[in-house]
Amino acid sequence: MTAFDDRSIHIESFTHLHNTVSQTGEPVENPRATGSRPEWEALKSIVLIGNHLPRQCGIATFTTHLLESIALNAPDKDCWAIAMNDRPEGYPYPPQVRFEINQNQLNEYSLAADLCNLNQVDVICLQHEYGIFGGKRGSFIIDLLRDLKIPVVTTLHTILKDPNLQDRHIMMQLAEFSDRLVVMSERSVEFLRDIYHVPEEKIVLIHHGIPDVPFVESDAYKDRFGVPGKKIILTFGLLSPGKGIDVVIDALPEIVKAHPEAIYMVVGATHPHLKAEQGEDYRNSLYLRAKELGVSEHIVFHDRFVADEDLLEFIGAADIYVTPYQNETQIISGTLAYALGMGKAVVSTPYWHAQELLADGRGRLVPFRDPVALAREVIDLLDHPDECHAIQKRAYDYGRKMIWSNVGRRYLDTFAEAKRQRLRKNVPERQLETLGLRQQQLPEIKLDYLRRMTDDTGMFQHAKYTVADRTHGYCVDDNARALIVAVTLQDLQPLESELGGFAAIYLSFLGHAFNDQTNRFRNFMSYDRRWLEETGSEDSHGRAVWGLGVAVALGRDRGQVGFAVDLFHRALDAVEYFTHPRAIAFAIIGIHAYLSHYSGDSRGRRMRKILSDRLMQQFRDFASEDWPWCEDTLTYDNARLPQALLLSGQWLPDREMLQMGLRALDWLKKVQTDEKDHHFVAIGNNGWFPRGGSKARFDQQPIEAAAMVDACIEAFNCTRDEEWSAFAYRCLNWYQGENDLGVPLCDYATGGCRDGLEAQGANENQGAESTLCWLTALLAIYNHRGWNRVAPGEEPARLDVQKVSQE
């Protein structure tokens, strides 16, 4: 996050995008000469939120040009940007970027909303694309929108035709908290109306902006690139496998055979996220493919992120522009819009935006991944220059309505209409808020202590104060917990490369801990790497299965996921005969995570049913009206048992399990709530809570609060009862000082957590279990804040859970 200063946008930049006379000779309204339109008078300040140049991506380019177009059309308005950062150090932004948000820091979204509210901005224009905001599927941006009191116009760069429940939820919330939704194609309008049921009065169609340049023959530009007399086939944009460049290379031999003067020019840097994960493997594979086919002399790579001035010259030099994308579901292509608007003959695969823009003879469509058809169309256009020229002219004429000056005016009209007629319901009132009147701020997730407690073997069990205690070595329990934290955080912050290294260490520890002779995990290892037992407890084995299941579900490294799948399967046989309720519950939770990725795994589904039935039977055998529990004593990690029942009750489905899970968790909530102040009071381990006896007040352990957070969120997922969500926050606040002694357990300085709440104060040792439980609870709330978890890939045959919860 970076504070802003009061700097105005330089409206002189990019004037080549906004000429006052169009290149066809038709007059274009000059905003400097005429001033703002009367309907814009109510607009004094406009803020765009999205990526911004010099960050290298299509959204950054779009946001930058849109902001400049708006400022050029209305120079009397205060126009500035809030930029999203995918790296902590940010980028060297121009003056019009006055605030920056680290995409992974949830609190910074709320601060940005506060900034806009306090400055009484007239309109916010959000650029929405999956992947540029933090949280599950970019859910953090919903917090910002929810807090805004001012009109919001959201530009949707991707609209999914077949969204999973997560993506549908995100889109519905975007629609709910926006006054207008801007889309760039007719198909996008249809999707919003028919799939997401957005009212038509909220939807505005404004085409993707393009520069206003003259219709010039390509030969005028070719000398600049040293290719005079050549026929140039062009693709530009950030390189990634989905762009289909390999298909064009496969088509080149036939094209070159018919037209030896043909050159395929590929312009653009490798996508930075792909490069961070795979280096230049994809680009190198293209080099090798061209060499194998004998066309390496007919292909030129310009490996750089191209500035606008250079890009216009590259497009100008092209005779044919090719977009061979491999996925039909691309609903917007900025590169296609640019090429069409500059009057290029386009050959494209039939993704949705191409079908629309290239209709009525404005281009040629070829099937996906069909180099033969692609070669045939390119050759035909090169063989028939008159037809090629006719296509170019039709494309150029169609693109006149898409030039940036027109697009900027359309956005200003939309802003004025959004301010005049708010279509968002339940707008927050304009008043100063105290912390008690809004969702509480969440602490930053810090990895410092996780890093300190981990060496190249695994995570240490214990610490003396904040120093790792090597005397007690390592255990499977804590390394399984650490694996869950690492992959969950990796799912939340996919660009944090260090997390993959942590996950690899913890996976390696679990792999080494597995004893192939017994098919069980060992648990305890000394600091000198000696196993202290041949077979660990059922609990530790269950936790290992849990950790592996989450690694399969959320892991981003294919090798790590493959390792986890193999070890998960080897570990699964033993759990079939487990009898300890917590071990069974841990395994059930892990199996559910695994099945969220491999929903059709019959062995996993069978084991889930066996273990769920066994846990349910234990509750039947022990539970009574006043003691709805499966044991005679409440001990540790209690809430994991109803959490497992709630998961199985939903996904099997089983009404009795769901009822029992909700009943047991509600009872746990009551017995762990202070009667006077209503804060969370964990069962103390100095005597626990025996049936018919008294509940121990101390020592309260962090493990219990973390279990309650997860279980209450699962109960909320089942019932949509906000009381469960509120109690999850109450349990999280136990770590932060809302407890019997009013002392914080979490240590904001280190990122760790103290080992428990004792009668005389906090235990100042910060061991692995307590720290990992704190991080687990915090991550659960982070994920819950933006999206109520649904496992992708497996949708439950849901019962009427709200009715069940009332029975």
Side-chain angles (χ1 to χ4, degrees):
M1 176 188 64
T2 302
F4 76 98
D5 53 31
D6 190 13
R7 297 174 290 188
S8 61
I9 185 170
H10 295 299
I11 61 174
E12 288 78 13
S13 60
F14 289 95
T15 53
H16 66 278
L17 302 182
H18 309 278
N19 295 332
T20 56
V21 176
S22 79
Q23 301 301 339
T24 59
E26 299 175 359
V28 174
E29 182 179 346
N30 183 348
R32 293 176 189 267
T34 63
S36 295
R37 295 177 177 178
E39 56 266 33
W40 302 346
E41 287 301 317
L43 303 174
K44 304 300 181 186
S45 58
I46 299 164
V47 174
L48 270 65
I49 301 175
N51 298 350
H52 196 286
L53 295 175
R55 181 171 171 179
Q56 298 182 359
C57 73
I59 301 299
T61 302
F62 183 93
T63 305
T64 303
H65 292 342
L66 177 59
L67 182 64
E68 289 163 345
S69 175
I70 292 167
L72 283 162
N73 274 286
D76 57 328
K77 312 302 180 187
D78 183 23
C79 303
W80 51 281
I82 295 174
M84 303 303 305
N85 286 331
D86 60 348
R87 60 188 192 187
E89 66 272 22
Y91 297 87
Y93 292 114
Q96 56 262 36
V97 174
R98 302 186 191 173
F99 196 85
E100 301 172 35
I101 298 175
N102 182 330
Q103 69 177 47
N104 293 322
Q105 297 302 322
L106 178 58
N107 290 340
E108 296 188 11
Y109 292 80
S110 294
L111 291 174
D114 288 343
L115 174 70
C116 295
N117 288 331
L118 290 171
N119 281 272
Q120 297 186 357
V121 171
D122 288 298
V123 175
I124 296 289
C125 184
L126 171 70
Q127 305 306 306
H128 182 267
E129 178 63 283
Y130 294 101
I132 71 171
F133 305 109
K136 284 277 192 179
R137 296 296 284 162
S139 60
F140 285 178
I141 193 61
I142 302 301
D143 260 44
L144 188 155
L145 295 179
R146 184 184 289 112
D147 289 342
L148 286 172
K149 302 174 177 61
I150 52 189
V152 175
V153 174
T154 297
T155 304
L156 300 173
H157 291 263
T158 294
I159 304 173
L160 301 175
K161 181 182 180 182
D162 299 302
N164 61 31
L165 294 183
Q166 273 188 355
D167 293 330
R168 177 182 291 276
H169 182 75
I170 294 294
M171 185 60 68
M172 298 301 288
Q173 287 194 305
L174 286 169
E176 178 184 352
F177 296 129
S178 300
D179 294 276
R180 301 292 188 281
L181 295 174
V182 174
V183 295
M184 300 181 230
S185 67
E186 294 286 355
R187 193 177 294 258
S188 298
V189 175
E190 295 172 9
F191 283 5
L192 285 183
R193 183 188 62 226
D194 301 338
I195 298 172
Y196 298 94
H197 308 296
V198 176
E200 289 212 38
E201 62 266 24
K202 265 197 176 186
I203 306 171
V204 181
L205 173 60
I206 305 176
H207 286 286
H208 193 294
I210 61 170
D212 188 8
V213 297
F215 184 79
V216 177
E217 295 293 339
S218 58
D219 289 342
Y221 291 93
K222 291 179 180 178
D223 284 344
R224 305 180 193 186
F225 301 105
V227 288
K230 301 293 185 181
K231 293 297 183 182
I232 303 301
I233 305 162
L234 175 70
T235 296
F236 79 86
L238 294 174
L239 261 65
S240 63
K243 296 296 178 68
I245 294 169
D246 55 310
V247 179
V248 186
I249 294 175
D250 287 344
L252 270 184
E254 284 301 311
I255 296 171
V256 169
K257 182 179 178 181
H259 289 273
E261 74 279 15
I263 297 289
Y264 181 37
M265 198 175 288
V266 181
V267 178
T270 302
H271 196 292
H273 295 171
L274 178 69
K275 190 172 182 178
E277 292 180 1
Q278 302 179 16
E280 292 290 2
D281 287 352
Y282 177 62
R283 185 182 295 273
N284 291 337
S285 72
L286 298 176
Y287 288 143
L288 291 174
R289 184 63 177 159
K291 188 174 181 179
E292 289 171 3
L293 294 175
V295 293
S296 57
E297 298 300 316
H298 293 267
I299 183 168
V300 177
F301 286 90
H302 290 270
D303 180 11
R304 58 193 174 95
F305 188 81
V306 181
D308 286 277
E309 293 81 358
D310 293 337
L311 179 57
L312 300 184
E313 293 186 352
F314 275 115
I315 299 174
D319 296 285
I320 296 174
Y321 183 75
V322 180
T323 56
Y325 301 160
Q326 299 179 35
N327 191 342
E328 181 190 34
T329 60
Q330 178 135 354
I331 205 160
I332 294 298
S333 171
T335 61
L336 175 63
Y338 269 47
L340 176 126
M342 291 180 64
K344 296 293 117 177
V346 179
V347 177
S348 176
T349 49
Y351 55 90
W352 290 332
H353 200 205
Q355 291 178 33
E356 189 168 318
L357 287 190
L358 303 184
D360 302 323
R362 293 187 293 269
R364 300 277 184 90
L365 296 177
V366 297
F368 294 102
R369 299 205 64 82
D370 189 340
V372 175
L374 180 64
R376 182 175 62 247
E377 294 298 333
V378 170
I379 292 169
D380 185 66
L381 289 174
L382 293 178
D383 284 345
H384 301 91
D386 290 343
E387 171 61 17
C388 185
H389 185 271
I391 290 174
Q392 292 170 343
K393 193 63 172 65
R394 286 192 290 268
Y396 184 82
D397 291 343
Y398 182 84
R400 293 307 81 208
K401 61 184 177 183
M402 299 161 58
I403 60 174
W404 274 114
S405 55
N406 290 336
V407 168
R409 282 194 294 278
R410 290 279 286 116
Y411 268 92
L412 282 161
D413 290 340
T414 303
F415 296 159
E417 181 64 19
K419 185 172 175 62
R420 186 186 68 80
Q421 183 184 16
R422 300 291 310 266
L423 294 181
R424 173 184 172 179
K425 299 177 181 179
N426 302 318
V427 178
E429 295 182 6
R430 285 185 177 272
Q431 61 182 28
L432 290 176
E433 295 177 308
T434 64
L435 287 177
L437 295 176
R438 64 180 300 168
Q439 273 190 314
Q440 70 178 66
Q441 299 292 304
L442 296 179
E444 179 183 349
I445 299 170
K446 295 185 67 173
L447 297 179
D448 303 44
Y449 201 67
L450 186 71
R451 193 178 295 114
R452 187 187 302 181
M453 289 287 288
T454 300
D455 67 3
D456 58 356
T457 298
M459 190 165 190
F460 292 106
Q461 279 194 83
H462 297 294
K464 292 181 178 179
Y465 295 94
T466 59
V467 178
D469 183 359
R470 304 186 184 195
T471 304
H472 297 284
Y474 320 85
C475 69
V476 159
D477 282 315
D478 290 332
N479 279 274
R481 292 186 184 104
L483 177 60
I484 292 171
V485 167
V487 295
T488 302
L489 190 54
Q490 196 174 21
D491 186 54
L492 195 66
Q493 301 180 359
L495 301 181
E496 184 63 60
S497 58
E498 185 182 23
L499 294 168
F502 282 136
I505 290 172
Y506 307 137
L507 275 170
S508 178
F509 187 91
L510 294 182
H512 187 50
F514 190 75
N515 187 335
D516 286 307
Q517 295 181 346
T518 63
N519 286 332
R520 291 283 298 274
F521 289 95
R522 308 171 182 93
N523 192 13
F524 297 108
M525 173 188 275
S526 64
Y527 179 65
D528 60 0
R529 298 185 178 182
R530 289 183 298 106
W531 289 110
L532 303 180
E533 59 195 356
E534 287 303 309
T535 302
S537 65
E538 286 189 4
D539 276 14
S540 64
H541 191 106
R543 274 203 186 89
V545 170
W546 178 6
L548 292 168
V550 175
V552 172
L554 302 182
R556 303 185 67 84
D557 182 289
R558 292 180 61 185
Q560 292 179 12
V561 171
F563 183 95
V565 168
D566 174 70
L567 189 54
F568 178 89
H569 278 291
R570 287 192 284 145
L572 202 57
D573 286 339
V575 303
E576 182 174 354
Y577 306 102
F578 282 3
T579 59
H580 290 256
R582 280 160 193 77
I584 293 172
F586 300 157
I588 289 171
I589 296 169
I591 292 170
H592 275 287
Y594 172 86
L595 289 173
S596 74
H597 193 72
Y598 291 112
S599 59
D601 189 310
S602 57
R603 185 165 168 239
R605 296 168 75 95
R606 171 180 165 274
M607 196 64 69
R608 173 175 64 181
K609 183 70 166 63
I610 290 172
L611 295 177
S612 300
D613 287 343
R614 183 172 302 151
L615 183 61
M616 186 64 227
Q617 188 60 50
Q618 291 177 339
F619 271 88
R620 291 193 196 100
D621 292 343
F622 277 86
S624 64
E625 188 64 31
D626 63 342
W627 188 265
W629 201 244
C630 63
E631 301 170 300
D632 283 329
T633 303
L634 274 179
T635 55
Y636 63 94
D637 225 0
N638 295 301
R640 297 300 176 192
L641 280 63
Q643 180 187 352
L645 289 177
L646 292 175
L647 283 165
S648 293
Q650 292 174 84
W651 296 88
L652 285 175
D654 188 296
R655 180 178 296 273
E656 184 186 12
M657 286 182 192
L658 201 57
Q659 286 178 317
M660 191 71 248
L662 289 170
R663 180 183 166 205
L665 187 61
D666 186 61
W667 178 68
L668 273 182
K669 184 176 73 168
K670 291 174 180 175
V671 300
Q672 295 186 110
T673 297
D674 182 77
E675 294 181 0
K676 180 181 178 182
D677 296 327
H678 307 293
H679 59 260
F680 177 68
V681 181
I683 302 292
N685 68 2
N686 188 16
W688 303 117
F689 185 12
R691 190 174 193 168
S694 299
K695 180 182 68 174
R697 196 77 176 193
F698 297 102
D699 298 343
Q700 298 177 33
Q701 300 297 302
I703 191 174
E704 194 59 37
M708 284 297 293
V709 168
D710 278 345
C712 287
I713 289 173
E714 196 55 54
F716 174 83
N717 290 339
C718 292
T719 66
R720 291 301 187 264
D721 185 341
E722 290 290 348
E723 288 189 16
W724 290 116
S725 184
F727 199 79
Y729 275 91
R730 194 178 303 172
C731 295
L732 181 75
N733 291 341
W734 177 87
Y735 292 97
Q736 301 179 85
E738 292 186 19
N739 51 48
D740 279 349
L741 303 183
V743 294
L745 278 296
C746 58
D747 185 338
Y748 298 118
T750 65
C753 180
R754 298 170 179 89
D755 275 352
L757 197 66
E758 302 174 351
Q760 67 275 16
N763 182 333
E764 292 297 331
N765 297 329
Q766 296 183 17
E769 179 182 292
S770 55
T771 295
L772 293 167
C773 287
W774 156 242
L775 290 173
T776 297
L778 184 57
L779 283 168
I781 293 293
Y782 260 88
N783 278 323
H784 177 61
R785 184 77 160 251
W787 163 248
N788 307 321
R789 185 200 53 74
V790 171
E794 185 190 19
E795 295 190 9
R798 288 189 180 275
L799 300 167
D800 185 351
V801 291
Q802 292 184 341
K803 181 179 178 181
V804 169
S805 67
Q806 297 168 5
E807 292 178 352

